[in-house]
Amino acid sequence: MKTLFIFLVTLLVLFGCGRPPLDKPANNSMNSESLINEQLDSIYKWTNRFPNNTQFAIALIKNGQPVYYGIKRLNDTLFTIQNSDSAFEIGSVTKVFTSTILANFVIAGKLKPDDKINPAFQFQFNENIDFTYKELANHTSGLPRLPSNLRLSAIFNQKDPYKGYDEKKFDKYLKNNISLDYPKGSKSEYSNLGVGLLSYSLRKFSGRNFEELTKELIFDKYGMANSTTVKSNVADFLVTGLNDRGKPTLNWTPGALIGAGGIYSTVNDLSKFAIAQFDTTNQELALTRIKTFKETNTRDVGLGWFIIHRKNGDQWYWHNGGTGGYSSSMVIDVKNKTGIIILTNISSYHSKFENIDKLAFSLMKTLEMNFMDNRNQ
């Protein structure tokens, strides 16, 4: 299957679907009374080569207080704008919310992380494979990135790869085709399928859909009024997604794998969720940040977050996301009550998609230095 995948990707490149050249550096007309020069310089450095009409909505959280900053490229110039209440697809940052739903059920005593998901289904999985909720949440399930009956359509429909992948098709895959790429628990390998199956299991277990679960257990609880999985709820303030060539593109239809990447949100709302993490008495949020697997010497996997170990002994909790028209990155430091949230309409297919994370980490370092300066005074 890997050989076939490489062959198909090669065909896409040969037939003109390769990544386009970078845009010329934008002129800089950004300004701010709230950000320091190092932060403005960092923002310009990592955003100046994206197409016209791209937007960045940024939240910088210091001492538990957010500052919002937005930019847009128009006529090859970066301008400061106000877009903290504009909605974007957050992509795989959704996975943190799926794990938070699980954590709510665990803290309520309804489930345990090591419980099997299989009793929630009325049929046996192929070859009697079983999974625990934790294995799906921390990517140690052994599952591939996508179901085998979705891979080809995802490659040839990059504008909306999950469209049409409903629960009927998912059930067929689980009954007849699901298989492991590696022994469960031997490593952590990122899987949209795994977290999609986690959310499907939680929906089966609770008898509620994903929108109902996120709204009741997270959005309403933390005052996230503009967060949803329903596009029509945010249509009036949804930023148009752009493909890797800077052209408007479709919003993704997540289908049965909705828990892997189906949420729309704003940096204002995500800041509320980030700041709630600083409350160490909040048991369900704390549970998502507990180490469940050692990935490398510098990175562990929690129940929802990736845990980055800093040389100074601090820990950053991070997740990013990307769809055909949007990218996101979210980093928080619970101990020091700092965080960076970035939402943008840059396609995850863009050749400089990784700049979004680079910007997030760079801005976190400015908050870290500023915190150290204050602490040493």
Side-chain angles (χ1 to χ4, degrees):
M1 180 57 72
K2 182 178 288 187
T3 301
L4 175 62
F5 178 82
I6 293 171
F7 173 72
L8 291 170
V9 171
T10 302
L11 283 180
L12 288 172
V13 173
L14 290 175
F15 283 99
C17 295
R19 288 172 170 172
L22 290 174
D23 289 82
K24 295 179 180 179
N27 301 309
N28 188 352
S29 287
M30 301 186 308
N31 60 82
S32 175
E33 296 181 357
S34 302
L35 274 58
I36 60 176
N37 289 336
E38 289 85 350
Q39 291 165 341
L40 288 172
D41 290 345
S42 183
I43 292 171
Y44 178 74
K45 175 183 178 180
W46 297 114
T47 66
N48 73 74
R49 298 292 292 269
F50 291 113
N52 279 317
N53 297 313
T54 56
Q55 288 192 41
F56 281 75
I58 304 171
L60 303 93
I61 304 171
K62 177 184 175 183
N63 295 325
Q65 297 297 318
V67 171
Y68 302 112
Y69 189 71
I71 60 170
K72 184 174 184 177
R73 178 165 174 161
L74 289 171
N75 300 319
D76 295 326
T77 300
L78 286 174
F79 294 97
T80 301
I81 64 171
Q82 172 55 253
N83 60 2
S84 60
D85 288 317
S86 296
F88 298 76
E89 289 180 358
I90 70 171
S92 286
V93 174
T94 299
K95 292 178 172 67
V96 175
F97 291 86
T98 298
S99 291
T100 304
I101 294 169
L102 169 61
N104 271 271
F105 287 142
V106 171
I107 297 303
K110 298 178 180 179
L111 287 175
K112 296 178 182 177
D114 290 318
D115 284 350
K116 304 289 187 183
I117 69 164
N118 301 71
F121 295 82
Q122 296 181 340
F123 54 83
Q124 288 186 334
F125 291 3
N126 184 47
E127 297 181 351
N128 291 323
I129 296 175
D130 58 26
F131 301 98
T132 69
Y133 290 95
K134 183 171 71 175
E135 288 169 345
L136 298 174
N138 69 5
H139 305 283
T140 61
S141 64
L143 288 171
R145 192 176 186 92
L146 290 174
S148 57
N149 62 344
L150 173 61
R151 291 172 191 164
L152 288 179
S153 60
I155 291 173
F156 287 106
N157 183 26
Q158 294 189 12
K159 290 183 179 180
D160 196 0
Y162 297 93
K163 185 178 182 180
Y165 197 76
D166 55 18
E167 292 183 357
K168 183 178 180 180
K169 290 181 179 179
F170 202 6
D171 285 347
K172 182 178 179 181
Y173 168 76
L174 296 174
K175 292 176 184 177
N176 303 317
N177 302 111
I178 193 168
S179 61
L180 303 183
D181 275 5
Y182 60 91
K184 292 194 298 178
S186 62
K187 61 180 177 177
S188 177
E189 190 164 291
Y190 196 80
S191 175
N192 288 323
L193 165 58
V195 181
L197 179 55
L198 172 62
S199 71
Y200 192 21
S201 304
L202 294 170
R203 300 197 306 271
K204 289 276 192 180
F205 173 80
S206 66
R208 288 175 284 173
N209 64 40
F210 194 66
E211 174 70 10
E212 291 169 337
L213 289 170
T214 51
K215 187 175 189 304
E216 176 185 340
L217 298 177
I218 306 172
F219 300 153
D220 286 352
K221 186 182 295 187
Y222 301 115
M224 301 171 66
N226 293 322
S227 297
T228 183
T229 63
V230 181
K231 179 183 175 181
S232 60
N233 290 346
V234 295
D236 292 342
F237 49 94
L238 177 64
V239 175
T240 300
L242 304 179
N243 66 18
D244 61 338
R245 299 170 186 271
K247 303 300 182 182
T249 191
L250 298 173
N251 291 99
W252 277 7
T253 309
L257 302 181
I258 189 169
I263 290 177
Y264 299 89
S265 192
T266 69
V267 291
N268 190 332
D269 272 11
L270 290 178
S271 293
K272 295 174 183 177
F273 183 65
I275 292 168
Q277 305 283 333
F278 304 155
D279 177 6
T280 56
T281 66
N282 188 313
Q283 292 181 293
E284 63 261 24
L285 296 184
L287 181 59
T288 65
R289 302 191 306 270
I290 293 175
K291 172 185 172 181
T292 61
F293 189 84
K294 179 180 176 64
E295 192 174 41
T296 68
N297 289 332
T298 59
R299 198 169 97 165
D300 296 326
V301 186
L303 204 60
W305 299 90
F306 293 99
I307 306 166
I308 299 172
H309 298 281
R310 304 282 294 149
K311 290 182 179 179
N312 63 5
D314 289 341
Q315 292 181 337
W316 289 355
Y317 301 92
W318 163 76
H319 212 295
N320 66 357
T323 64
Y326 303 84
S327 301
S328 59
S329 190
M330 187 170 180
V331 195
I332 59 173
D333 180 335
V334 173
K335 174 185 172 184
N336 297 319
K337 298 183 178 181
T338 59
I340 297 293
I341 301 160
I342 300 174
L343 298 179
T344 176
N345 60 342
I346 301 294
S347 172
S348 63
Y349 301 138
H350 195 281
S351 61
K352 286 298 181 181
F353 162 72
E354 71 274 7
N355 280 12
I356 287 59
D357 283 330
K358 290 179 179 178
L359 174 57
F361 295 142
S362 176
L363 291 175
M364 276 295 285
K365 290 176 182 177
T366 68
L367 296 177
E368 185 178 67
M369 290 187 295
N370 197 240
F371 177 80
M372 291 298 295
D373 289 342
N374 292 339
R375 190 163 62 182
N376 293 331
Q377 289 178 356

